[in-house]
Structures are given as C-alpha cells and as structure tokens.
Amino acid sequence: MSARLITILGATGSIGDSAADIIARDRDRFAVHAVTANGNAAALAERAVTLGAKKAVVADEQALPALREALAGTSIVTSAGEAALEETAADPVDMVISAIVGAAGVRPTAAAVRAGNDIALANKECLICAGDAFMKLVRDNGVRLLPVDSEHNALFQLMEGRNIGDIVTYTITASGGPFRTWPADRLATATRKEALAHPTWSMGDKVTIDSATLMNKGLELIEAMHLFALPPEKLDVLVHPQSVVHAMATFVDGSVHAEMGAPDMRRPIAYCLYWPDRCGWAATRLDLAAVAELTFEHPDPERFPALRLAREAMQKRDGAPTVLNAANEVAVDAFLRGGLGFTHLPAIVEQTIAEADSRGLLSGPASIDDALELDRQSRIIANGELEKRFAAAS
Ligand code: NDP
C-alpha cells in the first residue's frame, strides 16, 4: 500500500500537534506534503523537518525570513502569504487536515476542496461562517469531508451503516467547561487564566474560551446541521462533565447508541486519517471502571446565554451564523488580550447580530466570498460594539 499524502493546514496548533503525533507513529502509512502556520516560524520549521514535509508556508509574510533561516540547508520549499497558503492547500494530496483556527481557515480549506482534495475538517468555521456555500462546494467537487471535531466524528461513526430515517435525535455532549458549577454572580469575575483551565480537553486558546462560555457547543450544533444536513430540531446538547460520551443517536424505537472514548483528539483525528480502515492502535484507552461515573445534565441557558444565541442563529440560518461567528471571534480576542469581562462575551455577539439585522445584512451569503465579506462587515460592527462598551466603562 502506498503512503497516504497529507497536508496539514494549521500544523503548529493543538490539532496540528495531535495530527503530527499520529503521522509520526506510522511513517509507512503517511507522508507529508506540506505544513502551514500563521507566524510561528520556529515551530513550523521543526514540524516540517520532523515530518519530512516538502513545503512549509506561513500566512504572515513577516515570518518568512525566520522560516527561511530555520530551514536553511534543507530542501524544504518555503513561501508566505494568503495566496501561497491557498496554492499549497490546492496541491494534489490524498487528504488535507484543515486545522487553522477561525474564519482564516475558510479560504485555504475551500481552495483544497476546489482542487478535489479530501478533507479532515477540524476548522468548524468553514461550516459556521460559510456553511451552505461550503457544503455546496464539497458536493460540487465530489470530495470526502471527514469530521475531526470529536462530537461530529462520534455522530459520523454512529450514523455509518445506519438507516438515517430511524434516528430521531442527535445529541452532542459538552464538558460544561471550567465554570459549569459557578453561580451566575461569580462568572463576571472569571479571569483569562480561569477560563483557559479546561477540565478535560487540551485545546487552543480560542476553542477553550468558547468551551467556557458554551459558545463552542452552539457552534458545534450549527456545524452538525451543515455536515449531516440535519434539521435544527433534531439536534440536542447535554452537559457531560467526564467527556467520555461524545455523542448519542436516539432511534425511533427508543434505543440510544453512544460513542465513547478517552478525551484525546488523537482518536478522532486518527479515525479520519485511516478511514475507511480503523487505526490499529490507541493513543489512550478508556478505562470505564476508573471513570466510575458518567453523569448528564441540561445546559443552563441563564448562566450560558451563548448557547441560546447560537441556537437562534441556527434557526435563522442565512447570514446569522456568519455574524455570530465573526462577532464571537472579535469578542474572544478582546477577552484574551484583556479588557473585556467574561460575561460581556455573549453581549457583544448579541449586539452585533442585532445591529447587522437592523442594517439588513442577515440575508444568506450565496458564496464563500459573500460569507467572508459579511464576516468582514460583522467584525467592524463587533469592534464598534467593543468600543462603545469600553467607552461606557471608562
Ligand atoms: P490553535 O490555536 O492551537 O492552532 C491554530 C493553528 O492555526 C496554528 O497552526 C496557527 O499558526 C494557525 N493560524 C492561526 N491564525 C492563522 C491565520 N490567520 N492564517 C493561517 N494560519 C493561522 O487551534 P486549535 O488547534 O485548537 O484549533 C484549530 C481548529 O480546530 C479550530 O477551528 C477549532 O475550533 C477546531 N477544533 C479544535 C479542537 C482541539 O482540540 N484543539 C477540537 C475540535 C475542533 P501559528 O502557530 O503560527 O499561530
């Protein structure tokens, strides 16, 4: 069997680390064509060398001299900038792992799809920012889209070989994040450090903050709606602090099937990389007796309004998820840089959606370019909302 040729977009991030670990353990099975990052030249150079990549690309052109220096004496081809990133994503490979964080991942992933490359999709923003247009692109180009996100990977596994008409509810689980048991009045004091201390998963900063607000679960509902062409009313969320059950399918006869596994992203990533085979080893094995207890509860909409906002955007569809995603990226960035309080995160998102609606911006983006233009306008509105909030506080 010839090795599967892989490109990793976002190779220096948390998903990139996990993907690299799997690939490095099975050199006969996988070969790496290209790795990309934003500006972290040193980490990218190291990744390119260890994985034997042919190309290394940074989105930030200012990082190119450092990348060139770090790779001097090797035959690895370097380049920089958004066009170079898209060109590289479009180089023919067996699979592109889409693991850039945020809407910045949409264009390179779309370029990979247009080129006919199969995708292992971690970048949920492709589906939240540009869901209808992105899924049309996937269909038109006949590429395979395998979900990396653990809950969607679990749903994919639960649906494989099933009569989909027999499934009445698709439930994804949420750990509940670090503030699951905090009373409402304490949430206003939550710090960056506390919000980044995820109880079960180790992930990049953006998705970790989204997990603390439960926005991540809302984004994942929208992601599932597009990935599996499901009506919103069939999608549900349960808080499950142990993060052992990732998703459940409830069948017409009342049977509930659950997908379980240790909370380790290498499992769903390996599932995509090896599909349709099973990866023959497990990075971590689930010891249910050690976990001892599996508990479930409904999410609290009062303390975690982000989930409600995402559900509303999912119901409205059209441009609402695009605006929600852009506003949330702006708000999370402001929280991480300091200055925006934890409970103000959903407020910025809500105000941005209301303002975009009043400007008549919420009609459906017909193409990926339209979605990214709406993303750009939404960021301007969200930054305006941030400024108003900072002005009121000073
Ligand atoms: P990280 O923040 O850890 O890594 C992000 C990666 O994207 C880095 O390689 C970074 O490069 C690169 N990047 C950042 N900005 C840009 C840009 N403007 N242009 C090009 N590349 C850029 O993110 P995660 O790995 O946590 O998440 C990646 C995606 O996967 C997200 O969409 C997230 O929602 C999703 N996901 C993540 C999970 C996890 O466990 N981490 C679980 C499920 C989904 P650099 O290092 O140079 O900054």
Side-chain angles (χ1 to χ4, degrees), residues 150 157 246 259-262 264-272:
S150 57
Q157 295 192 44
H246 306 294
E259 195 274 343
M260 293 192 263
D264 182 335
M265 284 308 294
R266 286 175 294 180
R267 196 173 41 80
I269 295 170
Y271 186 87
C272 295

Side-chain angles (χ1 to χ4, degrees), residues 361-392:
L361 294 175
L362 293 191
S363 60
S367 66
I368 287 185
D369 282 345
D370 287 352
L372 289 169
E373 172 55 21
L374 179 54
D375 174 271
R376 190 187 67 78
Q377 293 179 24
S378 307
R379 283 167 199 266
I380 294 170
I381 298 174
N383 276 309
E385 296 299 333
L386 272 180
E387 275 166 30
K388 277 191 228 162
R389 192 161 286 269
F390 291 149

Side-chain angles (χ1 to χ4, degrees), residues 82-335:
E82 286 179 17
L85 199 60
E86 285 180 47
E87 257 172 48
T88 301
D91 287 346
V93 289
D94 295 308
M95 182 169 276
V96 169
I97 302 176
S98 166
I100 291 172
V101 64
V106 176
R107 274 197 206 284
T109 312
V113 173
R114 278 191 201 98
N117 289 325
D118 285 348
I119 309 288
L121 188 72
N123 177 277
K124 57 191 83 181
E125 292 81 2
C126 284
L127 295 172
I128 296 145
C129 170
D132 288 312
F134 186 81
M135 288 309 291
K136 181 170 184 310
L137 202 64
V138 167
R139 284 192 301 275
D140 289 352
N141 287 280
V143 306
R144 199 178 305 284
L145 187 63
L146 293 167
V148 165
D149 217 344
S150 57
E151 297 76 4
H152 305 76
N153 188 270
L155 286 178
F156 184 81
Q157 295 192 44
L158 289 165
M159 292 163 82
E160 263 186 322
R162 295 284 167 187
N163 179 359
I164 299 305
D166 288 343
I167 304 178
V168 287
T169 309
Y170 299 78
T171 305
I172 57 174
T173 62
S175 69
F179 307 135
R180 181 176 63 87
T181 57
W182 283 34
D185 54 357
R186 198 177 156 205
L187 284 176
T189 69
T191 64
R192 179 185 193 277
K193 193 171 166 218
E194 287 165 334
L196 284 173
H198 196 281
T200 48
W201 292 100
S202 161
M203 307 180 288
D205 288 357
K206 159 72 170 51
V207 62
T208 305
I209 300 303
D210 286 345
S211 298
T213 58
L214 290 201
M215 178 59 90
N216 186 47
K217 222 35 62 177
L219 299 179
E220 288 180 2
L221 287 174
I222 301 170
E223 186 183 357
M225 172 179 81
H226 286 295
L227 260 180
F228 305 118
L230 296 173
E233 58 277 11
K234 282 199 170 188
L235 286 160
D236 200 8
V237 173
L238 276 179
V239 173
H240 166 51
Q242 297 82 15
S243 299
V244 164
V245 173
H246 306 294
M248 291 173 267
T250 305
F251 289 80
V252 270
D253 63 355
S255 290
V256 180
H257 290 206
E259 195 274 343
M260 293 192 263
D264 182 335
M265 284 308 294
R266 286 175 294 180
R267 196 173 41 80
I269 295 170
Y271 186 87
C272 295
L273 284 173
Y274 282 85
W275 192 90
D277 298 336
R278 278 260 168 201
C279 173
W281 50 273
T284 39
R285 289 205 178 267
L286 176 60
D287 179 350
L288 274 176
V291 178
E293 194 180 41
L294 299 181
T295 59
F296 300 90
E297 62 202 41
H298 290 294
D300 179 351
E302 301 302 323
R303 286 181 304 135
F304 300 102
L307 185 55
R308 169 182 58 81
L309 293 174
R311 270 193 185 283
E312 286 169 6
M314 175 168 69
Q315 297 283 356
K316 280 191 193 136
R317 207 157 170 164
D318 287 337
T322 315
V323 180
L324 172 98
N325 181 67
N328 184 55
E329 282 193 29
V330 168
V332 170
D333 186 54
F335 175 76

